[in-house]
Amino acid sequence: MGMRPPTGLSLSRRSRVLLVAAIVLAALLLLGPRLTDTYTNWLWFGEVGYRNVYLTVLRSRIILFVAIGLFVGLVVWLALLLAYRTRPVFVPVVGPNDPIARYRTTVMSRLRLFGVGIPVLLGLLSGLVAQSNWVTLQLFLNGGDFGQTDPQFHLDIGFYAFDLPFYRMVLNWLFVAIVIAFFASLVTHYIFGGLRLSGREGVLTKPARVQLAVIAGIFVLLKAFAYWFDRYALLSSARKKDTFEGGSFTDINAVLPGKLILLAIAVICAIAFFAGIVLRDLRVPAMAAALLVLSSILVGAVYPLIVEQFSVRPNAADKEAEYIERNIEATRQAYGITKDKIDYKDYKGESRKSPLEVPVDAATIANARLLDPNILSPTFTQLQQRKNFYGFPESLDIDRYNINGEVQDYIVAARELNPRALSEGQTNWINQHTVYTHGNGFVAAPANRVNKPQADANQAASGASDSGYPIFMVSDLATAPDQQHIRVDQPRIYFGELISQSSSDYAIVGGTEGQAPREYDSDTASYTYTGAGGVPIGNWFNRLAFAAKYAERNLLFSSAIGENSKIIFNRSPKDRVQKVAPWLTTDGNAYPAVVGGRVKWIVDAYTTLDKYPYAQTTSLEGAVEDSIDQKTGRLLPRKEVSYIRNSVKATVDAYDGSVTLYETDSTDPVLKAWQGVFPGAVKPESEISPELRAHFRYPEDLFKVQREMLTKYHVDNPREFFTTNAFWAVPTDPTIESQGNTFKQPPYYVLLGDPKTNKPVFNLTSAMVGFGNRQFLSAYISVRSDPDDYGKFTILRLPTDTQTQGPQQTQNSMTTADEVSREKTLLSNSNKIKYGNLLTLPIADGGILYVEPFYNERNTGPNTSTFPQLLRVLVSYRDFAGSVRVGYAPTLAEALNEVLPGAGALATASGGDPANRPKPGTLPPAPDTTQPQPGAPNPLPGTVTPPTGSSAAKDAAAAELNRRIEAVRTAMKTGNFADFGRALDELEAAVKAYQDAK
């Protein structure tokens, strides 16, 4: 008697418990971190007051997840159900080893698992992918009009920015659902006999034929819709990417008509597929599919290629002129570089005037920056660190303050806690997270002067000099309020750039009432945090959540945590802004400013689009990277954009971490759309206080993108644009001494004189050189940062045949000068030589002055603390005769006098007392011409009178010198450069003879 085989596996009770426990544990390991992050994020967004942002994003993701997941799952389920319900009643078995029969049996035994499980799995996967498109959904729901139309279809730009991406997203998911449904139907019919491949032609039952024909017809019909939307995508075509982007001649005159032809063919093919419902002959749908494929190749690819090769390329400049013009106009609009925002001025690059004759130059030269914020971080650290666990960022910042009625730019930094500088005994959990919790103070130094000049290079080489250091203005706990030049009421820094560099940047603050203060504040005092920032962790549930988040058991068992304790985390200003506004792209550089007696980090943020019709696309990473980014290694935004606006400026309080977003461009349609998504998240511009606005700077990353665009898009003529001969280039940083240097020169914040008021105005500036290998100066771009005319560009365009040296050539001229080379050789034996930022300054109503600080740093080994100090100032100036003169001296005044006699009187003297600083817009008294200017080969103003009681030789030398001065004046009037050059040489000899006369 046979026995029935076992029908299933029987598990003991213990085995079932262990299995359930294993499944629960696996689920916790997979979902636990996500649930923990979700809960801690919920708490954090509540702390900063932006929980509505978190909920809106979460809702959007859930809606997309559910909608797309249900749609795809439902379509697949219907396809499977229909295929199963219409299966043949009898399916012949090929033989005992028929694999299809085994599959069929397996499916029938687990029908619910396959029939429901497969659609659910595919729906879940689709929903997980789709939820990342929440931005597309929200912009579609809240986007409006730009008030501008495209030049081809005359549709508002808002259609391309907000509507078209959504329509294409929906179309893509329709394609996904239909393709999956087709293959699901095909496999199901095959398993259940509706499709058999036996025999020469195989067998396809009528239900299978009808279902597959309908699905294929829907697919082709969707393809027709895709062709319709492809027409609009042509306005962002990259066919001519190396020259311009947007619809080219070929796109508009060959591809665009082809799309309409393909649309018509697709509709016909869809009808042919639907005809398969009533026709048993599958040759009609097959021929339709072949027609669609063949027409796609011929009409969509071959014909445009023929037009491009035989019509466009031989006459490209003429054929593409209209489309290049469209690209120029759209790119200027998209990047905010339209002519109403830019004042183009012709600039000679040389001048016959002296800065003493141009009142505006007093402000420019007096504020020439000698401190380089990208070099002096070690100096700040060495002289202002106070404790080993404090520090400053590798790259400092520049801002301006009005002190005693005088505007001055300063190198500024917050003295932050540097977790990486903690010594071995300070890195235990208690010290790192409950004792050393915050920095202390705001440090500033005037950018245009040092404590005193280094007069002796030999002394500097020996390291015995105490000169060339910044003049520090410190506001911290140790500085009395009445002694602070910049008043700071709360100098404790809990949020900053250095603090956040730790792998676990959290701090535990507060504690049980009555408990002694724990946080280090000074050598004689401790502190307990009283700010509004931080998430409460007094209850055990929150402690458990954060213990899981940081995998740290001390958060559960430490007695340092009391009922009033808080945890402060996400302490990077940029990261805090990015989290509360995930729809913005933040600038790479946050900078501290004192506003209302508090230290606030100011973070610039951008709204962007990746598809603006006819606008050029650029990589933010490639456009913003320069030599400073290479040095600091900061993370660059990996994003392609074709539209950008600095529509939001954010502040982060350094004490309590509060984040405030301010609207700064009410005309930006993208910002308006996001304000519809997150109402109330961005405060109106009217709430920006005048004190805060006075510290706004034009953002560096935006300026870098715009100057990259301006290398090409300053050109108006399409033919000239096509030939590229009028393009500019961003110069490489000449201060980087390395083989194959390709690092771009960063833009520089400087105070320049305003030609209208003669007062200093805070500008972001950049020199531009010729395209290709032409290193001569082509243009000078500056954009205002002060509230008046904020964002107004001025571009000085030099003649195309100019011989004014660019930064790279100037650096070479300066560093190869005899005196510079000699001192560099002397110093290099025991010092590191560092060239500071090479500033380009327009002066003398047509001239270009280059100023570069020259630093030395003792090279005494890797274990010795060294820091840069200003040794010399390099200047270079090209006079109208074409001679390039180099000045090299301990002070800017002396260096200027070497190239522009008397102009040194405009420079700010070294030292902390600015009393003798030239007032903006005023010229100093005429220089004393009774004595020759040291080392001055240039024509001197006035005449020379020998001292009383001088010798006959001195009198004769003075007379000869006066004759040579008059000869130079005569040559200047005639404009003959050859005569002028000879006169200068003779004057130089006369000056030397006068100096040598006894």
Side-chain angles (χ1 to χ4, degrees):
M1 180 176 177
M3 296 180 65
R4 177 181 297 177
T7 58
L9 181 63
S10 177
L11 295 176
S12 66
R13 185 173 181 274
R14 181 183 177 186
S15 297
R16 288 197 298 271
V17 170
L18 290 175
L19 180 61
V20 171
I23 294 173
V24 171
L25 180 61
L28 287 175
L29 290 174
L30 290 173
L31 300 177
R34 291 186 177 274
L35 293 174
T36 300
D37 284 343
T38 300
Y39 179 66
T40 55
N41 281 334
W42 166 269
L43 295 175
W44 184 84
F45 275 94
E47 171 217 337
V48 294
Y50 285 87
R51 188 168 284 167
N52 181 55
V53 172
Y54 181 71
L55 290 175
T56 300
V57 174
L58 187 62
R59 273 196 303 268
S60 303
R61 291 180 181 274
I62 292 174
I63 289 172
L64 277 174
F65 173 82
V66 172
I68 299 300
L70 277 177
F71 173 73
V72 173
L74 186 61
V75 169
V76 174
W77 178 76
L78 287 173
L80 291 174
L81 179 64
L82 187 60
Y84 176 74
R85 289 284 181 88
T86 58
R87 70 190 186 281
V89 176
F90 173 75
V91 181
V93 178
V94 176
N97 296 321
D98 184 1
I100 303 303
R102 291 202 300 273
Y103 295 149
R104 188 182 309 119
T105 302
T106 301
V107 172
M108 290 297 294
S109 64
R110 296 176 175 82
L111 195 60
R112 182 168 296 178
L113 175 64
F114 284 99
V116 177
I118 290 176
V120 168
L121 178 62
L122 291 172
L124 287 173
L125 292 175
S126 299
L128 287 173
V129 174
Q131 56 87 27
S132 63
N133 295 320
W134 69 273
V135 170
T136 303
L137 171 67
Q138 288 292 359
L139 287 180
F140 171 75
L141 295 175
N142 294 277
D145 291 340
F146 273 61
Q148 299 167 347
T149 58
D150 76 272
Q152 181 63 39
F153 300 105
H154 307 294
L155 296 174
D156 190 89
I157 302 300
F159 169 78
Y160 300 92
F162 308 131
D163 299 341
L164 185 60
F166 178 78
Y167 297 146
R168 294 186 72 89
M169 181 191 77
V170 171
L171 193 60
N172 287 338
W173 283 112
L174 288 172
F175 273 121
V176 168
I178 290 299
V179 169
I180 295 176
F182 180 84
F183 284 104
S185 302
L186 191 68
V187 172
T188 304
H189 282 298
Y190 179 64
I191 290 175
F192 287 100
L195 169 63
R196 296 195 297 275
L197 302 179
S198 59
R200 174 179 291 183
E201 299 180 354
V203 176
L204 187 66
T205 63
K206 181 179 179 181
R209 185 184 76 248
V210 170
Q211 183 174 356
L212 294 176
V214 169
I215 295 176
I218 293 174
F219 176 86
V220 178
L221 195 59
L222 289 175
K223 189 64 180 172
F225 282 102
Y227 284 132
W228 178 262
F229 289 120
D230 285 347
R231 296 160 56 248
Y232 304 118
L234 289 176
L235 301 196
S236 297
S237 169
R239 181 184 297 273
K240 293 295 184 76
K241 187 176 180 65
D242 292 340
T243 306
F244 70 98
E245 288 189 43
S248 63
F249 180 91
T250 301
D251 291 316
I252 301 303
N253 294 279
V255 179
L256 180 57
K259 295 292 182 183
L260 293 174
I261 294 171
L262 291 172
L263 186 154
I265 293 174
V267 172
I268 295 171
C269 291
I271 294 173
F273 275 103
F274 291 138
I277 298 174
V278 295
L279 298 176
R280 294 178 57 88
D281 193 348
L282 294 180
R283 287 178 295 181
V284 173
M287 290 174 61
L291 174 62
L292 185 60
V293 172
L294 182 62
S295 59
S296 297
I297 296 172
L298 294 178
V299 178
V302 175
Y303 176 62
L305 183 63
I306 292 173
V307 172
E308 179 69 25
Q309 291 291 334
F310 297 103
S311 178
V312 176
R313 288 197 175 182
N315 312 283
D318 294 327
K319 294 281 188 179
E320 303 290 11
E322 177 186 354
Y323 308 101
I324 291 175
E325 197 169 356
R326 293 179 177 183
N327 171 254
I328 292 173
E329 180 63 26
T331 301
R332 289 175 175 175
Q333 289 286 348
Y335 290 94
I337 50 175
T338 50
K339 287 195 172 182
D340 61 309
K341 297 179 180 179
I342 299 178
D343 184 14
Y344 288 94
K345 294 182 178 179
D346 292 329
Y347 200 74
K348 293 178 292 185
E350 59 187 27
S351 175
R352 295 176 179 270
K353 297 181 180 179
S354 165
L356 296 168
E357 303 173 48
V358 183
V360 69
D361 288 350
T364 299
I365 294 176
N367 290 286
R369 178 152 51 85
L370 302 181
L371 300 186
D372 186 345
N374 302 303
I375 285 182
L376 291 176
S377 179
T379 305
F380 269 58
T381 300
Q382 185 69 23
L383 301 178
Q384 290 297 322
Q385 185 181 27
R386 301 284 174 90
K387 293 294 180 181
N388 69 289
F389 41 81
Y390 292 143
F392 298 94
E394 188 173 359
S395 181
L396 306 177
D397 293 296
I398 297 178
D399 197 4
R400 69 283 195 202
Y401 287 84
N402 190 325
I403 298 177
N404 297 325
E406 183 179 4
V407 175
Q408 168 69 59
D409 55 346
Y410 292 83
I411 308 299
V412 298
R415 187 191 291 124
E416 299 184 54
L417 178 75
N418 185 3
R420 294 181 298 182
L422 293 170
S423 64
E424 186 175 349
Q426 297 169 330
T427 55
N428 61 71
W429 187 85
I430 288 291
N431 283 335
Q432 191 169 0
H433 296 289
T434 69
V435 176
Y436 302 116
T437 58
H438 60 275
N440 172 20
F442 180 82
V443 181
N448 65 340
R449 59 188 186 273
V450 293
N451 60 342
K452 56 183 177 179
Q454 296 195 54
D456 188 351
N458 290 297
Q459 188 183 30
S462 66
S465 172
D466 62 349
S467 309
Y469 293 135
I471 304 166
F472 292 106
M473 299 179 179
V474 182
S475 302
D476 60 10
L477 290 169
T479 309
D482 58 350
Q483 295 176 345
Q484 296 180 4
H485 291 83
I486 302 173
R487 178 71 178 268
V488 176
D489 299 324
Q490 180 50 270
R492 297 176 179 90
I493 311 294
Y494 281 86
F495 298 85
E497 296 175 303
L498 280 183
I499 295 173
S500 60
Q501 291 180 2
S502 172
S503 58
S504 53
D505 70 337
Y506 64 89
I508 308 298
V509 297
T512 305
E513 190 173 346
Q515 189 179 48
R518 182 182 298 273
E519 302 174 56
Y520 176 87
D521 218 29
S522 69
D523 288 343
T524 59
S526 297
Y527 181 72
T528 298
Y529 182 74
T530 59
V535 173
I537 55 169
N539 64 76
W540 282 99
F541 189 80
N542 284 4
R543 291 176 72 169
L544 181 63
F546 283 100
K549 177 182 178 69
Y550 292 109
E552 180 54 69
R553 65 176 181 273
N554 285 315
L555 285 166
L556 290 175
F557 305 115
S558 175
S559 60
I561 303 176
E563 58 185 13
N564 298 322
S565 293
K566 295 179 179 181
I567 183 169
I568 292 176
F569 61 107
N570 292 336
R571 297 207 273 175
S572 164
K574 290 184 293 184
D575 291 348
R576 289 178 80 82
V577 173
Q578 192 67 75
K579 283 181 73 70
V580 303
W583 38 277
L584 293 172
T585 300
T586 55
D587 191 271
N589 185 26
Y591 61 98
V594 177
V595 180
R598 298 178 73 92
V599 179
K600 293 183 180 290
W601 295 94
I602 299 178
V603 183
D604 288 285
Y606 311 114
T607 54
T608 61
L609 294 173
D610 58 357
K611 295 294 182 185
Y612 188 100
Y614 268 108
Q616 197 76 9
T617 300
T618 187
S619 164
L620 288 185
E621 181 180 18
V624 306
E625 186 176 29
D626 58 28
S627 61
I628 305 305
D629 299 317
Q630 289 285 338
K631 174 187 173 184
T632 59
R634 75 163 172 129
L635 295 177
L636 300 172
R638 297 179 179 273
K639 196 171 189 179
E640 297 276 338
V641 302
S642 62
Y643 173 95
I644 186 168
R645 289 288 187 276
N646 176 216
S647 299
V648 173
K649 289 185 182 288
T651 63
V652 178
D653 192 287
Y655 181 70
D656 63 24
S658 57
V659 182
T660 308
L661 308 177
Y662 294 102
E663 174 190 57
T664 55
D665 186 354
S666 58
T667 64
D668 179 19
V670 182
L671 177 61
K672 290 179 181 177
W674 285 119
Q675 287 175 317
V677 180
F678 304 108
V682 181
K683 293 183 179 294
E685 192 170 5
S686 58
E687 293 194 25
I688 302 175
S689 68
E691 185 181 6
L692 174 60
R693 189 183 292 276
H695 290 285
F696 284 168
R697 309 184 314 187
Y698 198 83
E700 288 182 80
D701 284 356
L702 175 61
F703 181 80
K704 292 176 189 177
V705 172
Q706 290 174 321
R707 82 173 170 179
E708 195 70 35
M709 290 295 111
L710 283 167
T711 58
K712 298 180 179 180
Y713 290 95
H714 67 278
V715 178
D716 294 318
N717 188 291
R719 179 179 289 275
E720 197 173 25
F721 186 98
F722 185 83
T723 60
T724 72
N725 58 16
F727 285 178
W728 302 330
V730 178
T732 55
D733 190 344
T735 65
I736 304 297
E737 294 185 312
S738 64
Q739 297 246 341
N741 170 26
T742 59
F743 306 140
K744 296 175 184 175
Q745 185 182 42
Y748 298 123
Y749 290 105
V750 295
L751 281 172
L752 297 177
D754 182 1
K756 296 179 181 178
T757 64
N758 296 329
K759 293 182 179 179
V761 176
F762 199 59
N763 282 264
L764 183 57
T765 65
S766 177
M768 306 295 282
V769 296
F771 186 63
N773 295 320
R774 182 175 170 80
Q775 293 298 318
F776 290 106
L777 194 68
S778 293
Y780 181 75
I781 304 176
S782 64
V783 59
R784 291 182 174 236
S785 289
D786 286 347
D788 294 338
D789 293 328
Y790 176 91
K792 182 70 174 180
F793 280 81
T794 299
I795 299 182
L796 306 179
R797 295 185 294 195
L798 279 71
T800 55
D801 59 348
T802 181
Q803 296 296 307
T804 302
Q805 289 188 338
Q808 200 69 247
Q809 296 168 322
T810 299
Q811 180 76 4
N812 184 63
S813 297
M814 293 193 301
T815 56
T816 56
D818 289 341
E819 188 178 359
V820 181
S821 297
R822 285 196 304 272
E823 283 207 357
K824 184 177 177 182
T825 302
L826 169 67
L827 292 166
S828 59
N829 294 326
S830 58
N831 286 259
K832 299 175 186 175
I833 302 302
K834 295 190 174 183
Y835 297 106
N837 36 219
L838 178 60
L839 302 180
T840 308
L841 304 175
I843 65 166
D845 194 21
I848 294 292
L849 174 69
Y850 288 97
V851 178
E852 181 177 68
F854 183 84
Y855 299 92
N856 70 297
E857 178 180 350
R858 289 287 294 161
N859 188 11
T860 55
N863 297 322
T864 304
S865 296
T866 62
F867 47 96
Q869 56 189 139
L870 181 69
L871 174 65
R872 294 286 184 266
V873 180
L874 283 160
V875 299
S876 175
Y877 186 78
R878 176 178 180 264
D879 59 34
F880 71 91
S883 299
V884 176
R885 300 187 178 277
V886 174
Y888 179 73
T891 66
L892 176 61
E894 294 172 273
L896 279 173
N897 282 334
E898 291 180 8
V899 298
L900 289 165
L906 299 175
T908 298
S910 299
D913 183 10
N916 57 352
R917 172 187 170 97
K919 295 301 179 184
T922 62
L923 295 177
D928 181 9
T929 58
T930 62
Q931 296 295 328
Q933 300 293 331
N938 282 356
L940 302 177
T943 58
V944 176
T945 303
T948 304
S950 61
S951 65
K954 196 76 169 179
D955 293 341
E960 178 62 19
L961 182 55
N962 287 329
R963 281 195 296 271
R964 294 307 173 194
I965 291 175
E966 189 60 36
V968 169
R969 287 191 178 128
T970 302
M972 289 174 63
K973 292 176 182 178
T974 61
N976 189 313
F977 288 164
D979 291 343
F980 180 76
R982 281 194 300 272
L984 282 177
D985 293 338
E986 292 168 353
L987 174 61
E988 185 174 1
V991 169
K992 190 174 187 308
Y994 180 85
Q995 291 172 332
D996 294 339
K998 301 294 186 183

